[in-house]
Amino acid sequence: MQREQQIADNLARVRERIAAAARRSGRASEAITLVAVTKTHGPAIVRLAQAAGITDCGENRVQEAEQKIAALRDLPLRWHLIGHLQRNKARRAVALFDLIHSVDSLRLAQTLDRLVAEQAPPRRLPVLLQINVSGEASKEGFDLPGGLDNRQALPAFYATIAQIVALPHLELRGLMTIAPYSNDPETTRPVFRALRLLRDDLARRFPQAGWNQLSMGMTNDFEVAIEEGATIVRIGRALFGERIA
Ligand SMILES: *Cc1c(COP(=O)(O)O)cnc(C)c1O
């Protein structure tokens, strides 16, 4: 089958599944943004995806994204950084991305705030805070050791969030998480639910910031994530097939 047709078919199937999951959660499918994860795929594939209707692309490496975004300047795509951002690449990330999902430390948030402040005209950079809900050592993100029930860890966590909320050049929009890999999406449901409850908690404590967005759900688990309130799903393999590179 032609690659173009394959991507269009995959996209149609993913959109149907998003719509069905949205209905189950009592929401319109328009409330959910599909980010096509284009990492490892070259500009030619991204062009096919855009022609098929993709509006948002997710990349996890600044270096790789920089070249791709330059090659696709003519397309009206929004670019999302979904991978860990090293502070020495933050300047380039600020120039490249429309939304950074992976703010995972106070120091990174402060660095981004300073870099945006140096730019003219002044603006606010949309960001999400990445949360390591499951506590897996391999996962980036703010730790919630023991989850929301660990009362001892919470004051320090809230103090950090308060400092990030106060940064004038960041526009906080919500939270992001990566669930532990599993072939049974039901095992990830508690992770997504915990992220939503954390978001609700932070929205009550810090009403001056924006908390609408929940970036959660990938190929293996996006339907469960939507049922639990995802507003952004990040999908690679269901659109483009297994990654080779
Ligand atoms: C690669 C990646 C995805 C997409 O994963 P698939 O299983 O291909 O859908 C989503 N989010 C992040 C952070 C990723 O690194």
Side-chain angles (χ1 to χ4, degrees):
M1 210 195 315
Q2 288 287 312
R3 194 78 171 99
E4 190 169 3
Q5 190 59 49
Q6 207 173 57
I7 291 172
D9 289 349
N10 289 346
L11 177 58
R13 219 165 300 129
V14 165
R15 284 215 194 283
E16 276 169 26
R17 291 168 63 190
I18 288 174
R23 272 196 301 278
R24 289 195 295 278
S25 72
R27 291 181 297 157
S29 57
E30 296 78 45
I32 291 139
T33 300
L34 168 60
V35 172
V37 177
T38 46
K39 65 188 183 196
T40 77
H41 301 292
I45 298 290
V46 182
R47 269 186 198 284
L48 297 181
Q50 195 270 340
I54 287 296
T55 55
D56 291 77
C57 293
E59 290 283 332
N60 64 345
R61 291 209 179 90
V62 172
Q63 184 103 354
E64 180 184 340
E66 196 161 45
Q67 297 175 11
K68 216 175 288 186
I69 293 171
L72 297 167
R73 281 249 176 268
D74 57 310
L75 298 183
L77 287 167
R78 281 184 296 269
W79 292 92
H80 299 245
L81 181 63
I82 61 174
H84 175 62
L85 176 57
Q86 293 166 289
R87 277 183 301 128
N88 62 8
K89 299 204 173 109
R91 185 181 298 277
R92 287 151 73 198
V94 163
L96 289 170
F97 292 101
D98 298 290
L99 177 63
I100 296 180
H101 293 225
S102 47
V103 172
D104 57 4
S105 72
L106 175 59
R107 286 189 76 191
L108 175 60
Q110 290 167 332
T111 299
L112 291 169
D113 181 69
R114 177 173 53 76
L115 291 168
V116 179
E118 287 171 13
Q119 291 184 333
R123 60 172 184 133
R124 292 173 81 206
L125 176 72
V127 299
L128 307 178
L129 303 182
Q130 183 172 351
I131 308 290
N132 183 2
V133 175
S134 61
E136 269 188 299
S138 62
K139 294 268 188 288
E140 311 283 352
F142 291 95
D143 274 324
L144 281 185
L148 271 177
D149 299 332
N150 186 343
R151 295 280 148 210
Q152 269 154 9
L154 279 173
F157 176 73
Y158 290 138
T160 302
I161 301 299
Q163 289 185 72
I164 294 175
V165 165
L167 294 171
H169 301 284
L170 297 190
E171 182 188 322
L172 199 48
R173 290 194 178 168
L175 304 178
M176 176 271 217
T177 199
I178 304 173
Y181 184 88
S182 168
N183 281 320
D184 176 7
E186 282 305 321
T187 64
T188 60
R189 189 182 293 278
V191 170
F192 297 139
R193 186 166 296 171
L195 193 74
R196 170 164 49 83
L197 293 174
L198 174 64
R199 187 276 305 274
D200 295 346
D201 177 53
L202 292 174
R204 274 192 301 272
R205 286 171 190 272
F206 303 101
Q208 68 274 39
W211 299 102
N212 286 345
Q213 302 297 333
L214 285 176
S215 169
M216 56 188 196
M218 313 177 14
T219 289
N220 273 11
D221 52 26
F222 70 89
E223 287 152 302
V224 168
I226 290 169
E227 288 169 15
E228 294 299 329
T231 62
I232 303 176
V233 291
R234 312 175 306 262
I235 298 180
R237 289 171 300 136
L239 293 172
F240 302 112
E242 292 297 323
R243 283 178 291 275
I244 303 156

